[in-house]
């Protein structure tokens, strides 16, 4: 039986990335804290044995879409138990990651636990995406906006695109059937100032799941 560190390193290698022993220690400690807390607070429904693949490796597929020229400002909208934001912060130590969620209990857990595990370049924010986007500090404010399992594509674009800088990207993590969600959204994307640049399709290592990363470039400031 492989250790979680081995599973993580091997999975990342298949995705084309490397992890340092320190980063691996931080992330496996984070999973352990999540498991313990999850026994009293419902933070995730994913079973413990799938945390490395379905939480860490799945989150880190987004590295395939994220520009290599860090430091970047990244926001994870609807971070929940910290995914994909916390693994991204661990692997991109010079970038700054904002972990946004509408549920205070989750934001508190995620920020506190990430910091305790040595992942310091992340900050929890308790708000809703559509509220944050009305604030000058956050509107058009991020190089990269990521999100997993939060809303269907059209709603997600309304929430995410206003937070991206002009020239920045939105990365929507979707499963099979994403084509149907995307269909007919050209005029919505145009109104929001965005354009689909590419869809990255990748098998999730250690599973039979296929992940689709829809990458939307913000070309202009969108209509309010
Ligand atoms: N991204 C995590 C959690 C998904 S569950 C994961 O994939 O594991 C969806 C999360 O989005 C919930 O924690 C919920 O509180 C949050 N959420 C839903 N709508 C939101 C909004 N408009 N703004 C911010 N957070 C939102």
């Amino acid at each position: 039986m492989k250790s979680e560190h081995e599973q993580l390193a091997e999975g990342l290698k298949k995705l084309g990335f490397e992890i340092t022993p320190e980063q691996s220690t931080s992330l496996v400690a984070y999973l352990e804290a999540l498991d313990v807390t999850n026994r009293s607070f419902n933070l995730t429904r994913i079973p413990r044995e799938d945390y490395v693949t379905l939480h860490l490796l799945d989150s880190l597929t987004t590295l395939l879409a994220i520009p290599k020229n860090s430091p970047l400002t990244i926001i994870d909208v609807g971070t929940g138990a910290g995914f994909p934001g916390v693994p991204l912060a661990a692997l991109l130590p010079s970038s700054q990651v904002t972990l946004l969620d509408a549920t205070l209990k989750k934001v508190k857990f995620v920020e506190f636990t990430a910091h305790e595990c040595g992942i310091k370049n992340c900050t929890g924010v308790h708000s809703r995406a559509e509220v944050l986007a009305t604030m000058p500090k956050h509107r058009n404010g991020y190089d990269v906006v990521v999100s997993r399992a939060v809303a269907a594509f059209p709603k997600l674009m309304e929430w995410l695109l206003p937070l991206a800088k002009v020239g920045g990207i939105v990365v929507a993590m979707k499963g099979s059937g994403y084509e149907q969600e995307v269909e007919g959204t050209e005029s919505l994307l145009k109104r929001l100032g965005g354009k689909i640049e590419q869809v990255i399709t990748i098998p999730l290592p250690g599973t039979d799941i296929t992940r689709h990363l829809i990458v939307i470039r913000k070309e202009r400031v969108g209509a309010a």
Side-chain angles (χ1 to χ4, degrees), residues 30-199:
Y30 186 84
L31 296 186
E32 193 51 38
L34 173 59
D35 181 38
V36 171
T37 310
N38 205 42
R39 292 174 203 162
S40 45
F41 283 134
N42 183 26
L43 289 161
T44 181
R45 289 199 200 133
I46 289 175
R48 178 70 181 93
E49 61 272 24
D50 295 334
Y51 279 8
V52 170
T53 46
L54 302 188
H55 279 322
L56 299 185
L57 291 173
D58 191 28
S59 293
L60 292 168
T61 59
T62 58
L63 288 171
L64 293 165
I66 293 177
K68 304 286 174 282
N69 58 332
S70 55
L72 299 164
T73 52
I74 301 174
I75 183 166
D76 176 12
V77 173
T79 194
F83 305 106
V86 170
L88 276 180
L91 272 278
L92 300 172
S94 60
S95 292
Q96 191 57 44
V97 180
T98 300
L99 305 162
L100 174 71
D101 205 279
T103 304
L104 181 61
K105 174 185 93 171
K106 295 183 181 175
V107 175
K108 281 189 171 170
F109 164 81
V110 164
E111 187 186 83
F112 176 79
T113 309
H115 289 187
E116 286 295 302
C117 294
I119 305 162
K120 310 263 186 192
N121 56 322
C122 58
T123 312
V125 173
H126 174 225
S127 185
R128 297 189 61 87
E130 59 274 39
V131 175
L132 214 67
T134 65
M135 300 176 184
K137 186 179 154 203
H138 298 280
R139 192 173 186 88
N140 305 309
Y142 294 89
D143 296 310
V144 178
V145 184
V146 288
S147 190
R148 182 179 81 163
V150 171
F153 188 78
K155 176 56 71 189
L156 199 62
M157 291 304 106
E158 287 182 29
W159 285 348
L160 268 46
L161 264 167
L163 293 168
K165 279 184 192 170
V166 172
I169 55 165
V170 166
V171 183
M173 301 176 71
K174 290 287 174 189
S176 57
Y178 77 91
E179 294 95 339
Q180 277 173 334
E181 284 187 53
V182 170
E183 209 176 279
T185 57
E186 292 84 3
S187 60
L188 170 70
L189 288 173
K190 202 170 172 192
R191 178 166 68 75
L192 294 167
K195 192 178 178 189
I196 296 181
E197 191 169 76
Q198 57 171 331
V199 178

